[in-house]
Amino acid sequence: NSNAFYLKIFDVYGRIVYEEKFSYKFLCADRFVWNGNNNLGKQVEDGCYVVQISTGSNIIIKTAIRMKK
């Protein structure tokens, strides 16, 4: 869909632990805060994760570290 972008979070084994589709209206926000839950609503373990944001033709990949407070 050309009116959407996708956010995926992968664990170190390459498994998708979280994914969500956003409309471009969300791009007005300057940040996204992930609550640390996976797609099933359960907390993931502390550690390194790969965050991928993709549109129809572009992909941005960043790393993130999850640490409990």
Side-chain angles (χ1 to χ4, degrees):
N1 185 343
S2 63
N3 294 323
F5 68 96
Y6 300 86
L7 176 123
K8 293 181 181 179
I9 300 176
F10 299 86
D11 65 15
V12 295
Y13 301 105
R15 299 177 295 209
I16 296 173
V17 295
Y18 180 82
E19 61 184 329
E20 191 165 345
K21 177 180 170 182
F22 294 95
S23 72
Y24 275 114
K25 294 180 212 173
F26 188 82
L27 285 176
C28 296
D30 63 351
R31 71 187 70 178
F32 171 80
V33 178
W34 176 42
N35 62 8
N37 289 345
N38 64 17
N39 285 331
L40 301 175
K42 297 183 178 185
Q43 286 284 304
V44 299
E45 295 183 22
D46 289 354
C48 293
Y49 291 86
V50 175
V51 179
Q52 174 185 296
I53 299 170
S54 59
T55 64
S57 59
N58 297 308
I59 297 175
I60 299 170
I61 297 174
K62 299 288 183 181
T63 56
I65 298 174
R66 163 125 167 69
M67 296 186 302
K68 294 178 185 162
K69 292 183 179 179

